[in-house]
Amino acid sequence: YTLLFAKLVGDTGKVFAFEPDPVHFTILKKNVEINGYKNVILKQKAVTDKNGNIKLYLSEQNLGDHRIYDSYDNRRSIDIECIKLDDYFKDLNIIDSIKMIKIDVQGAEYGVIQGMEYILKNNKNIKMITEFAPSCIKLFGISPEDYINSLTKYGFKIKDLHNEISTDKLLEIYNNGTDILTNLYCYREESNSISIPIQKSISIQPDMVDNAYSSRMHFLLNNAIENKEKIINIGCADCAGFRDLDLDVTNIDIIDCVPPDYKHRSKFQIA
């Protein structure tokens, strides 16, 4: 999604992409360079609620499932740097112009929110897209209810990108002991809401690609980014994007960054 964001914001906008894994970061950097984007700032750091050094626990089965917390499944770990968004952006004087934040950090989204309290309090027009995976959120040490409350306490209204349901129903459907997950669109003002195509399906498994979701994501981003300003992409910077999808990518300068040994081999390989 980093490349899609870069195309959407244009030459006058900027995309800040955070990716802590050194292998993924190298591929992401090469993708940006190959496509010639000058409006992307890359940071090889994890985003959470503190600054310093932490562990990144690597998944050998799913290269998009690395985690900054120990899920006690015998993962190998590496040392990485982490940062709070409040601290990263405090000296850049652009907090008011951050338009969209996309978060997909395998259950650690609560930490991201806690590390950007100043941004959320001082930017009233900001929108977010965040993964909601209750099973992973619990492994991070937070209840799914607490994560939803961390969003609503800042005045965000929440839409499930897969079902037109209330927040209470959201918890009932997804917080049921299974591994199903969804993605949430968070916005503040009713006038800033957009119409999102909804598919009546809630099951997204780690070993499949949801074509309809990516189509909706493309639609959402094209409509949400009305002013070409700042976008922050946290986690799964390109790995989740447009691989093995039946989409017209003629005018989307996408080169997929999935490593060649990943189970979903991309038809958009790096040249």
Side-chain angles (χ1 to χ4, degrees), residues 145-158:
E145 292 86 353
D146 284 344
Y147 182 55
I148 294 297
N149 290 338
S150 75
L151 300 173
T152 57
K153 83 171 186 176
Y154 289 109
F156 283 110
K157 299 179 181 181
I158 297 172

Side-chain angles (χ1 to χ4, degrees), residues 241-257:
F242 296 100
R243 62 174 178 268
D244 302 326
L245 300 179
D246 184 19
L247 296 176
D248 179 8
V249 297
T250 306
N251 296 313
I252 307 173
D253 298 326
I254 295 291
I255 298 181
D256 196 89
C257 78

Side-chain angles (χ1 to χ4, degrees), residues 190-257:
E190 195 69 43
S191 59
N192 285 336
S193 177
I194 62 174
S195 177
I196 304 172
I198 299 296
Q199 178 192 2
K200 297 302 181 181
S201 170
I202 62 171
S203 180
I204 309 173
Q205 302 302 326
D207 61 347
M208 65 177 283
V209 177
D210 183 351
N211 293 12
Y213 165 68
S214 288
S215 296
R216 284 192 304 280
M217 181 69 79
H218 193 185
F219 174 88
L220 175 63
L221 294 175
N222 272 305
N223 284 273
I225 316 303
E226 296 173 357
N227 299 315
K228 298 182 182 300
E229 297 182 354
K230 309 293 186 298
I231 297 178
I232 302 170
N233 186 36
I234 305 165
C236 292
D238 277 281
C239 291
F242 296 100
R243 62 174 178 268
D244 302 326
L245 300 179
D246 184 19
L247 296 176
D248 179 8
V249 297
T250 306
N251 296 313
I252 307 173
D253 298 326
I254 295 291
I255 298 181
D256 196 89
C257 78

Side-chain angles (χ1 to χ4, degrees), residues 19 29 44 56 59 105 135 143 184 201 212 230 234-235 256 266:
E19 172 53 60
K29 185 173 182 289
Q44 191 177 335
L56 181 66
S59 172
V105 289
S135 61
S143 73
L184 307 177
S201 170
K230 309 293 186 298
I234 305 165
D256 196 89
S266 173

Side-chain angles (χ1 to χ4, degrees), residues 160-198:
D160 181 356
L161 290 183
H162 294 267
N163 291 273
E164 194 72 60
I165 55 178
S166 66
T167 301
D168 291 340
K169 196 69 174 177
L170 182 76
L171 291 167
E172 177 183 334
I173 290 177
Y174 294 102
N175 188 23
N176 60 3
T178 68
D179 290 333
I180 63 173
L181 57 88
T182 190
N183 286 268
L184 307 177
Y185 173 55
C186 308
Y187 61 98
R188 284 203 173 100
E189 298 296 331
E190 195 69 43
S191 59
N192 285 336
S193 177
I194 62 174
S195 177
I196 304 172
I198 299 296

Side-chain angles (χ1 to χ4, degrees), residues 45-59:
K45 297 176 185 288
V47 175
T48 186
D49 57 355
K50 61 183 179 181
N51 303 317
N53 297 305
I54 56 174
K55 298 284 187 183
L56 181 66
Y57 296 88
L58 307 179
S59 172

